[in-house]
Amino acid sequence: MSGKPAKPPRAWQRMLSGRRLDLLDPSPLDVEIEDIAHGLARVARWNGQTVGPHIFSVAQHSLLVDAIAEHVHPDLDARARLVVLLHDAAEYVIGDMISPFKAVLGGNYKDVEHRLAAAIHLRFGLPATTPAALVRATKRADRIAAFLEATRLAGFAREEALAFFGRPAPLPPTIDRFLAPWSADEAQTRFLARFNALAAPP
């Protein structure tokens, strides 16, 4: 047998921008918003188990959560809204694993997700760690979005969705426009437009 040490497995992903993002030690310098938008627009929520001719993408979900947060937390400034928009941004690398599978994987998955999220935040001038109040606000909007997606797109009965996601807040009819699945190109374009609007200097 050879005494050579085993070659370590590749732990980076090459992005369309040309960046190589190390999943174990991600650098903010290797994060590009175009890669995030492209990836999230092609990652399916609910493992693709949704109605319609297109997947319901994480990019579209992110815009839905942003719109809900704007309604239920109107006091959030543009930087806070950018954090909300990017709350699932790490999934452009690791995909959107459903909650039951995350529970099975446990801490290792969360560690990778947190490192990626921190690198993404630092890349765009946001705190690596999100303040607790903003985490709560984002989670509230995220759960409302999950309820709407579950009942409108993923086949859940209302009673079942209430048990898993809680009772949603009253929302204006304009939220409905975020619940008809868009094509990947449309989701990518809209996500980038919203990011640029929030990231623009005041």
Side-chain angles (χ1 to χ4, degrees):
M1 292 179 63
S2 170
K4 282 185 175 182
K7 186 177 180 181
R10 177 170 66 89
W12 53 265
Q13 179 177 348
R14 187 190 187 283
M15 302 297 171
L16 287 178
S17 65
R19 298 288 189 184
R20 292 187 178 189
L21 185 67
D22 188 327
L23 274 67
L24 299 179
D25 185 22
S27 168
L29 297 176
D30 291 324
V31 173
E32 300 290 351
I33 191 57
E34 292 79 11
D35 292 331
I36 293 174
H38 182 92
L40 295 185
R42 289 157 177 82
V43 174
R45 290 273 292 170
W46 306 94
N47 272 353
Q49 297 298 309
T50 51
V51 300
H54 301 292
I55 65 165
F56 188 78
S57 70
V58 175
Q60 186 167 352
H61 163 77
S62 300
L63 289 162
L64 172 62
V65 174
D66 170 55
I68 292 170
E70 190 169 15
H71 179 73
V72 297
H73 297 288
D75 55 321
L76 296 180
D77 62 18
R79 280 173 58 82
R81 292 191 193 288
L82 192 57
V83 171
V84 174
L85 182 70
L86 295 172
H87 77 281
D88 280 339
E91 294 179 5
Y92 88 109
V93 178
I94 57 180
D96 180 34
M97 294 187 184
I98 58 175
S99 296
F101 194 43
K102 288 182 182 180
V104 171
L105 290 178
N108 288 341
Y109 173 87
K110 280 294 181 186
D111 289 344
V112 172
E113 186 178 40
H114 289 156
R115 286 195 293 269
L116 285 166
I120 290 165
H121 280 199
L122 291 172
R123 170 65 176 84
F124 302 119
L126 301 168
T129 302
T130 303
L134 184 52
V135 170
R136 289 192 297 271
T138 303
K139 284 186 175 179
R140 182 186 180 200
D142 196 25
R143 286 176 67 84
I144 294 170
F147 177 91
L148 295 175
E149 294 168 18
T151 53
R152 304 277 192 93
L153 300 168
F156 281 61
R158 178 177 172 82
E159 294 72 21
E160 188 178 21
L162 285 170
F164 285 117
F165 308 114
R167 188 169 297 278
L171 296 169
T174 52
I175 294 296
D176 288 351
R177 71 181 188 270
F178 293 97
L179 287 162
W182 306 326
S183 70
D185 286 345
E186 182 174 1
Q188 179 176 344
T189 298
R190 291 192 181 202
F191 184 91
L192 274 175
R194 181 60 173 159
F195 173 88
N196 288 330
L198 292 172

